[in-house]
Every structure is written in C-alpha cells, then in structure tokens.
Amino acid sequence: MDKSFYRTILLQTMGRVINTTFAFIFIVEFIIGNLGNGFIALVNCVNWVKRRNVSMADQILTALAISRTALLWLIFLSWYVSMFNPALFMSEKFSRTLTVTWTVANHFSIWFATSLSIFHFLKIANFSNSIFLYLKWRVKKVVSEILLVTLVLLFFNTALINIHVNTWINGFERNRTCISISSNFVQFSTLLLFTNTVFTLVPFTLSLTTFILLISSLWKHVKKMQHAAKGSADASTTVHIRAMQAVIAFLLLYAVFFLLIMIFGQGFRIAYPSGHSCVLILHNSKLRQASVSVLWHQQEQAAHNHILKNRN
C-alpha cells in the first residue's frame, strides 16, 4: 500500500476525533446552559409564587433565561439535523422556520441581556445630569419602552432574513450540483451571520456605553468618598464593580461568540448563552445562595444515601 492510502486513513481518523471532540464539548455546553437557565427561571418563579411580587430585574432575568433556553434548543436542533439528516437541513421549509425562529430567540436573548445592563446602570450609577436623572426616576418605563422599540428592529431583521432565505432557495432550485449547493449554502450562512451581527451592534454598543459610564460613575464615587466612612464607600464600590463585571462578561462572551462562529462554525454558538447564564448566577446574590443551597442539599442527600448503603 502506498503512502497516500495511509495518509487518507490518518486524515479520516483525525477528522473523526475532531468531530467527536466538538460534539462532546457541544453537548456539555448544552447541558450546562439548560441547567443554568432553567435554574434561574425556576428560582425566580418560585419566589414569585411565594411573594406574589417580582422585581423588574428578576422579570428581565427570567425572560432572559427563557429566551436563552429556547435559543439553546434551536442551536441543538440545528446541529443535530445538520449532522444526522442533512437533506432535511437543506429543505426550504425547515431552513426558513429554523432561521427565522433562531433570529427571534437570539434577538430577545441579546436585548434582554442589554436591558438588564441598562437597568443596573440606571439603578447603580450616580450622575447629576438632568437627562440621566430623568431616566433614573423612570427606569422601569425606560426599559419597557426600549424592549418595545426593539420589536421594530426585529421586524426588519426578520424581513432581511427571509429575503436571504428566498435568494438561497432560488439559487438552490436553479443549480443542484454538489459544488453549487455547498457554495450557495456558505454564502447564505455568511449573509445570515453578517445580518444578525449588524442588528446586534446596537445592543452591543448600548452595553459598552453602560460599561464606560459605570466606570466613570465609580471613579467619581471613589473621589467623592475619599473622606467619608470606609464601610459606606466600600459597599457602593462593590455594587459598581459587580455591575461592571456582569456587563464585561456579556461583552466579552458575545464577542467570543461571534469569533468562534466565524472560526469553528455553529458548534460553538452555544458557548455564549451557556456561559453568560452561569456568570449571571454567580453575580446575583439570591441565585448564588439558592445554588449553594441546592449543592448543599445534594451533598447531604449523597451522604445519607452512602450511610444507608453501608448499613445494608
């Protein structure tokens, strides 16, 4: 046997190893994302049932968790069908439904995260500017109106996505050769990525702006409180820093989200909605305490089961 045969076998083996590794990472991230988002939604829903009252921040957080859960399942469905049923994945009805649904879920996922950043910024930051004070006093109304206005962006985004789908389907119908189908699908995927990136520049810019303004507010607060009581200064500084950490996590993870898609494809789309939800749990005292309680309960249950097993 010549060297080309062994080289082909080696490349095929490496390809299987890489695909298996990516599939394993994808499934682990999918599980983590569902557990994290499900936990956020469950804790807030339980608190709503107990107290009959949910804060604006918890409402946004719950809506964010639900939209991210939907996004995770759509990404998983897209990956699963593309791997095990390529013919269905390339069909017009499935592609159109999946693409439009993914666009809607991604839109709400991004904008709920942005609204959460804006809400925390208006609640935490301190500026004497009259416009800022006006927005601060009407923070609930501001966030609600922002979410309503984004529906206009969603309409235009969905309309453009449908145009891209129609263009791809028409090209697919005209030329059904393997090379043409592959080329058209690559162009179609690139257009989808570009379109969604353009429409997410607005929320990304808003989040970046809130981060910069939070830094400015923190700097002014530190200078103002230099001669005040240390405890008071530390408490306010901690709130500023936690808010900035949450916004930084959103900005970095979303930037990495698009970078990974461009380099590795859809297998890494799931990293952002999974990772950021875990960060939100760590930076929310109520969710963090609830997660600690769950882990503590599981450890106690495991220890109890171990004792019963040893007795038997």
Side-chain angles (χ1 to χ4, degrees):
M1 296 184 181
D2 56 8
K3 294 182 179 179
S4 61
F5 175 79
Y6 291 107
R7 189 181 298 112
T8 302
I9 296 297
L10 179 61
L11 291 174
Q12 290 176 350
T13 304
M14 289 177 63
R16 292 193 191 98
V17 171
I18 293 173
N19 289 334
T20 303
T21 303
F22 280 179
F24 176 78
I25 295 173
F26 183 89
I27 292 172
V28 169
E29 290 177 338
F30 175 74
I31 294 172
I32 292 173
N34 275 283
L35 290 175
N37 288 292
F39 181 78
I40 292 172
L42 179 62
V43 170
N44 286 329
C45 287
V46 169
N47 287 331
W48 177 78
V49 172
K50 289 181 177 179
R51 301 176 183 177
R52 296 294 178 181
N53 186 27
V54 183
S55 66
M56 184 73 172
D58 286 340
Q59 290 178 23
I60 298 173
L61 201 56
T62 304
L64 175 61
I66 294 172
S67 65
R68 287 219 172 125
T69 301
L71 184 62
L72 286 169
W73 279 97
L74 287 170
I75 295 173
F76 178 82
L77 178 63
S78 174
W79 171 79
Y80 183 85
V81 174
S82 66
M83 290 290 293
F84 301 103
N85 196 345
L88 176 62
F89 187 77
M90 300 292 286
S91 65
E92 176 184 358
K93 186 176 181 180
F94 180 84
S95 295
R96 187 185 302 277
T97 302
L98 180 65
T99 304
V100 172
T101 309
W102 185 89
T103 300
V104 173
N106 185 62
H107 171 90
F108 285 112
S109 173
I110 297 301
W111 274 107
F112 280 133
T114 303
S115 299
L116 193 63
S117 299
I118 295 172
F119 180 84
H120 286 152
F121 162 68
L122 292 176
K123 281 288 188 179
I124 295 170
N126 289 304
F127 293 102
S128 58
N129 183 278
S130 59
I131 296 177
F132 173 81
L133 293 175
Y134 177 85
L135 296 176
K136 187 179 183 69
W137 293 335
R138 295 163 179 80
V139 57
K140 294 183 179 180
K141 185 178 180 181
V142 169
V143 173
S144 299
E145 289 180 352
I146 287 174
L147 290 174
L148 286 175
V149 170
T150 64
L151 296 178
V152 178
L153 295 176
L154 176 60
F155 173 78
F156 286 110
N157 192 2
T158 306
L160 280 175
I161 292 298
N162 271 307
I163 292 174
H164 293 328
V165 173
N166 291 333
T167 303
W168 174 62
I169 294 299
N170 291 334
F172 177 77
E173 293 294 334
R174 285 195 303 268
N175 195 338
R176 292 177 175 269
T177 63
C178 292
I179 296 176
S180 177
I181 292 174
S182 177
S183 176
N184 286 337
F185 187 75
V186 170
Q187 293 177 3
F188 171 64
S189 300
T190 303
L191 282 173
L192 289 183
L193 178 61
F194 176 76
T195 302
N196 285 317
T197 303
V198 169
F199 278 95
T200 53
L201 282 177
V202 177
F204 188 85
T205 302
L206 283 174
S207 295
L208 182 60
T209 303
T210 60
F211 170 67
I212 294 172
L213 290 174
L214 276 171
I215 292 177
S216 176
S217 176
L218 175 61
W219 176 252
K220 289 182 179 180
H221 168 76
V222 171
K223 290 178 65 178
K224 184 178 179 180
M225 300 298 291
Q226 283 179 346
H227 303 291
K230 183 178 180 182
S232 175
D234 288 345
S236 183
T237 301
T238 300
V239 173
H240 274 81
I241 292 174
R242 284 184 178 177
M244 287 191 298
Q245 287 173 342
V247 178
I248 289 173
F250 168 70
L251 294 171
L252 288 180
L253 283 171
Y254 200 67
V256 172
F257 166 71
F258 274 108
L259 180 63
L260 289 176
I261 288 178
M262 288 185 286
I263 297 176
F264 298 107
Q266 70 172 0
F268 282 88
R269 286 183 182 180
I270 208 165
Y272 164 68
S274 299
H276 189 235
S277 298
C278 295
V279 172
L280 289 175
I281 293 174
L282 294 174
H283 282 84
N284 186 293
S285 58
K286 180 178 64 180
L287 293 173
R288 188 170 61 251
Q289 290 172 3
S291 63
V292 171
S293 298
V294 170
L295 291 174
W296 182 257
H297 176 73
Q298 288 180 342
Q299 289 180 354
E300 287 184 336
Q301 189 65 37
H304 179 69
N305 293 335
H306 181 71
I307 293 172
L308 290 177
K309 185 178 179 181
N310 290 336
R311 286 179 180 177
N312 295 333

